[in-house]
Amino acid sequence: MTGLYFSGTGNTKHCVEEFVRYFDSKNQTVSIETPNIDNILANEDVIILGHPTCFSNAPKIVRDYIKNHTEIFAAKKVFIIVTMGLFSGDGAGCSARILRKCGAEIIGGLHLRMPDCIGDNKMLKKTLEENKSLVKQADIKIQSAAKQLKEGKPFKEGLNLFYHIAGLFGQRLWFYGKSLSYKDKPDINVKKCTGCGLCVKNCPMKNIEKREETIIHKKRCTMCYRCVNNCPARALTILGKKIYEQCLFEKYK
Ligand SMILES: Cc1cc2nc3c(=O)[nH]c(=O)nc-3n(C[C@H](O)[C@H](O)[C@H](O)COP(=O)(O)O)c2cc1C
Ligand code: SF4
Ligand code: SF4
């Protein structure tokens, strides 16, 4: 068993690591951003795939990763873990539908509420204690889901028709356009930016470039919020205009 994840701000990384560790502390967990992981995954029968929900869909970077690596997933057993701030409907179902087209067998799905990572939106913000409590509850659910998979009775969250309808009508129809393609983001406040280059280094899409004393972004943003939540100058925003909180998993464990 190997854990495989995409995580903008650390929530999903933590959840996949916890799940996989339950089976054997020596099990590996790797990011889809790590180079040359194809050979690690090639020899595995079971992959635990984790990703955040993005407007009730799998992030574009994850959907593209699966489509560009069909050979990795063919004939594999895949258990899907989806993290979310509030609600995803059929979060696991979104990636399951693509994975099945690659020939993967979906053995289960787990939905986990975690701290919201949209640092420039006030709506879903919680206190530090509330976020810590969310992580604790998620950890308990992870243990229970891992135990059930071990016993051959895996959680199937996100995978049936009921979830599909909830995902579609609960949210995806209204926000469908937002998750279809990569974006021309983030917005930079040039007065605040110090040109430190951290966002350039961290972006999973190589969407940000340093040009002389400033940075520019291209049109390949997957809206993971990593740059926004890590910028020391709070100079970046995406959906909002102001930073309310820099949301990073390390603060909540
Ligand atoms: C652009 C964007 C869209 C999101 N859409 C949803 C959503 O539709 N439903 C939800 O419950 N959470 C949503 N979230 C919250 C994240 O799914 C959640 O915070 C997740 O745990 C982040 O995981 P990560 O730290 O591994 O990136 C969204 C976050 C971002 C950045
Ligand atoms: S991380 Fe922030 S301060 Fe540093 S270069 Fe990027 S936008 Fe500027
Ligand atoms: S620009 Fe920022 S939000 Fe967009 S993909 Fe890169 S790190 Fe993520």
Side-chain angles (χ1 to χ4, degrees), residues 207-253:
N207 184 51
I208 314 180
E209 255 178 35
K210 198 163 177 207
R211 293 254 175 99
E212 293 164 4
E213 287 313 298
T214 187
I215 59 148
I216 58 137
H217 52 83
K218 296 176 264 179
K219 294 184 177 175
R220 287 187 50 75
C221 175
T222 191
M223 300 182 86
C224 71
Y225 266 74
R226 190 182 293 166
C227 58
V228 172
N229 291 323
N230 281 290
C231 171
R234 294 180 164 226
L236 298 169
T237 50
I238 295 184
L239 293 168
K241 298 262 178 262
K242 172 184 163 189
I243 299 295
Y244 292 92
E245 183 191 347
Q246 286 187 299
C247 317
L248 295 166
F249 172 74
E250 296 92 77
K251 293 182 179 176
Y252 313 128
K253 61 186 172 189

Side-chain angles (χ1 to χ4, degrees), residues 41-219:
L41 299 169
N43 301 319
E44 287 296 345
D45 292 336
V46 179
I47 295 177
I48 310 299
L49 174 69
H51 62 78
T53 196
C54 182
F55 297 116
S56 266
N57 205 341
K60 177 90 169 107
I61 189 175
V62 172
R63 286 179 283 142
D64 282 353
Y65 182 85
I66 301 171
K67 286 176 195 161
N68 294 332
H69 294 83
T70 49
E71 72 291 348
I72 286 180
F73 295 103
K76 293 279 161 60
K77 290 181 169 46
V78 183
F79 185 96
I80 302 166
I81 297 179
V82 177
T83 67
M84 60 199 68
L86 188 64
F87 168 79
S88 80
D90 57 343
C94 293
S95 36
R97 287 190 285 280
I98 313 174
L99 286 160
R100 284 196 190 101
K101 286 188 189 154
C102 307
E105 180 193 345
I106 309 302
I107 56 172
L110 172 63
H111 286 181
L112 295 165
R113 273 194 71 197
M114 289 291 278
D116 147 67
C117 68
I118 309 181
D120 56 1
N121 184 306
K122 205 176 175 183
M123 229 170 64
L124 292 174
K125 292 293 150 293
K126 296 191 175 57
T127 64
L128 186 62
E129 283 318 307
E130 284 169 334
N131 278 328
K132 284 185 173 180
S133 161
L134 266 183
V135 173
K136 277 195 188 128
Q137 287 163 40
D139 284 351
I140 294 167
K141 191 171 173 187
I142 289 167
Q143 295 289 313
S144 146
K147 183 168 177 280
Q148 289 214 192
L149 176 60
K150 205 170 195 174
E151 290 168 358
K153 298 173 285 184
F155 279 35
K156 301 266 185 182
E157 290 180 324
L159 298 177
N160 68 28
L161 185 64
F162 168 78
Y163 285 105
H164 195 168
I165 292 169
L168 207 58
F169 292 102
Q171 215 183 50
R172 202 159 52 251
L173 273 184
W174 327 121
F175 294 116
Y176 195 53
K178 284 190 186 287
S179 62
L180 270 191
S181 52
Y182 294 114
K183 302 285 173 239
D184 172 18
K185 290 283 175 187
D187 297 320
I188 175 160
N189 182 332
V190 285
K191 286 188 194 145
K192 287 186 177 174
C193 173
T194 61
C196 72
L198 188 64
C199 55
V200 179
K201 191 171 131 236
N202 279 346
C203 175
M205 293 302 302
K206 301 198 184 336
N207 184 51
I208 314 180
E209 255 178 35
K210 198 163 177 207
R211 293 254 175 99
E212 293 164 4
E213 287 313 298
T214 187
I215 59 148
I216 58 137
H217 52 83
K218 296 176 264 179
K219 294 184 177 175

Side-chain angles (χ1 to χ4, degrees), residues 14-32:
H14 167 78
C15 295
V16 175
E17 282 175 348
E18 284 295 301
F19 191 91
V20 164
R21 202 178 295 140
Y22 179 90
F23 292 85
D24 186 339
S25 58
K26 293 194 196 95
N27 280 342
Q28 284 192 80
T29 298
V30 287
S31 161
I32 65 170

